[in-house]
């Protein structure tokens, strides 16, 4: 007979819903962006994406390995983590896209390529839209256009508790990021011809396309999604401790939203 495992106060046992590994960690290690699975290095945010996708596609909270294979479902990722992208490609007809390499996708482009219009049953956009050039509403509209009627968007983006989104460069138009003595500055020429310079830039993961353009407010994200035409907009706040989905801050939760099957749209934000 096996001896019973002793759990110390503050420890958490969970099954990683990305790779299936059973994990035992100190609860203080659960941070939104901190890798907490020793096998696939998934973070709570990564596991929250899998949880949200499972609930929206199948109506139940499954680990990725337990997803049914449905090649008739077409999915699209925007620089998705390889921790789950490979498995999604095995389960569905799925394509991971990039801004800087093939297959290319610029979600802020003026027009969506005709072959991508209404082509996806689900789209995952994780930590992308805070980096797109303004107007940011175009990114939400383009995502909506790429979904089939009834298609699902799973969205994560860092956001704060402030009342309104903070745009770092509200008049961004013709800009260049310039290396400057070990740091970077942004030079912008506005539509009216005014020259602006910004320092103390914030990059996520390195300079270039990872420049933080804004800090969203939750209310603004709900508005952007509704304005683009999405319905059943849900903020997934509930922890999922059996899969290690939790972080201490009361913000930056995953969203799901659905393109209507008809022209009627609505709004829902779960408490």
């Amino acid at each position: 007979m096996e001896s019973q495992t002793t759990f110390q106060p503050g420890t958490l046992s969970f099954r990683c819903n990305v790779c299936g590994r059973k994990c035992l960690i100190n609860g203080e290690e659960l941070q939104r962006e901190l890798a907490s699975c020793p096998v696939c290095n998934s973070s709570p945010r990564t596991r929250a994406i899998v949880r949200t996708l499972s609930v929206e596609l199948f109506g139940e909270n499954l680990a990725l390995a337990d997803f049914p294979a449905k090649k008739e479902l077409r999915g699209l990722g925007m620089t998705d983590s390889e921790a789950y992208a490979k498995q999604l490609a095995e389960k569905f007809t799925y394509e991971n896209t990039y801004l800087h390499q093939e297959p290319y996708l610029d979600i802020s482009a003026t027009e969506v390529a005709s072959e991508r219009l209404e082509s996806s049953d689900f789209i995952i956009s994780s930590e992308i839209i805070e980096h797109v050039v303004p107007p940011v509403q175009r990114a939400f509209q383009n995502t909506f256009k790429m979904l089939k009627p009834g298609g699902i968007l799973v969205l994560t983006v860092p956001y704060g508790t402030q009342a309104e989104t903070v745009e770092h460069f509200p008049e961004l138009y013709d800009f260049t990021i310039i290396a400057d003595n070990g740091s970077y500055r942004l030079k912008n020429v506005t539509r009216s011809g005014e020259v602006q310079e910004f320092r103390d830039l914030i990059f996520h993961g390195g300079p270039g396309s990872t420049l933080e353009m804004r800090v969203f407010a939750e209310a603004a994200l709900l508005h952007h999604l509704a304005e683009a035409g999405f319905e059943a907009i849900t903020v997934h706040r509930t922890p999922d401790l059996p899969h290690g989905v939790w972080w201490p801050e009361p913000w930056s939760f995953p969203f799901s939203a659905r393109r209507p099957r008809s022209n009627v749209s609505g709004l829902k934000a779960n408490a």
Side-chain angles (χ1 to χ4, degrees):
M1 179 175 178
E2 293 184 5
S3 60
Q4 184 176 356
T5 302
T6 301
F7 295 94
Q8 299 298 320
T11 61
L12 175 68
S13 174
F14 68 91
R15 180 193 181 200
C16 174
N17 62 359
V18 177
C19 70
R21 170 68 179 265
K22 289 186 177 180
C23 305
L24 181 64
I25 67 168
N26 189 308
E28 295 180 356
E29 297 177 36
L30 278 183
Q31 302 290 329
R32 185 176 185 267
E33 297 304 307
L34 186 64
S36 43
C37 174
V39 174
C40 69
N41 293 319
S42 65
S43 66
R45 170 174 61 86
T46 306
R47 297 190 292 271
I49 292 167
V50 173
R51 188 269 295 265
T52 303
L53 182 63
S54 177
V55 169
E56 293 300 319
L57 284 180
F58 308 119
E60 57 182 326
N61 186 5
L62 302 174
L64 187 50
D66 300 325
F67 279 24
K70 289 184 172 291
K71 286 295 186 177
E72 69 273 18
L73 291 181
R74 301 188 66 87
L76 182 142
M78 301 180 191
T79 318
D80 272 344
S81 167
E82 289 302 319
Y84 58 83
K86 182 179 179 180
Q87 293 184 74
L88 290 177
E90 293 171 352
K91 298 288 185 177
F92 310 109
T93 300
Y94 163 88
E95 179 183 39
N96 201 7
T97 63
Y98 306 89
L99 180 64
H100 64 290
Q101 67 183 47
E102 293 185 351
Y104 293 105
L105 176 64
D106 181 359
I107 197 60
S108 65
T110 305
E111 294 184 2
V112 177
S114 59
E115 64 270 18
R116 293 202 181 278
L117 292 173
E118 298 189 1
S119 62
S120 296
D121 293 288
F122 69 86
I123 292 176
I124 300 173
S125 175
S126 185
E127 315 297 277
I128 296 295
I129 296 185
E130 71 272 26
H131 301 297
V132 303
V133 297
V136 70
Q137 184 62 27
R138 184 184 295 156
F140 292 91
Q141 292 167 341
N142 286 345
T143 304
F144 183 90
K145 291 175 183 178
M146 292 193 299
L147 283 168
K148 297 178 183 179
I152 297 160
L153 167 65
V154 175
L155 171 71
T156 76
V157 61
Y159 65 81
T161 57
Q162 75 278 9
E164 298 180 355
T165 294
V166 177
E167 286 283 348
H168 298 322
F169 320 107
E171 298 180 279
L172 198 68
Y173 179 60
D174 181 10
F175 70 97
T176 306
I177 297 173
I178 303 167
D180 187 3
N181 294 323
S183 63
Y184 294 88
R185 58 188 171 90
L186 184 147
K187 182 177 179 180
N188 179 51
V189 181
T190 68
R191 287 183 180 275
S192 64
E194 178 187 356
V195 178
Q196 301 174 325
E197 286 204 0
F198 300 87
R199 297 179 183 272
D200 299 322
L201 307 180
I202 300 172
F203 295 98
H204 297 177
S209 61
T210 56
L211 176 65
E212 181 185 279
M213 296 285 181
R214 61 193 58 83
V215 179
F216 280 104
E218 183 180 283
L221 286 165
L222 293 169
H223 174 77
H224 283 304
L225 289 164
E227 187 71 14
F230 286 98
E231 68 174 12
I233 303 168
T234 304
V235 186
H236 294 262
R237 309 181 195 276
T238 306
D240 176 16
L241 293 178
H243 291 135
V245 177
W246 180 86
W247 50 87
E249 297 82 13
W251 56 77
S252 300
F253 299 111
F255 286 68
S256 63
R258 189 177 295 270
R259 176 168 174 164
R261 298 185 185 278
S262 66
N263 291 326
V264 179
S265 62
L267 173 65
K268 177 181 70 172
N270 282 357

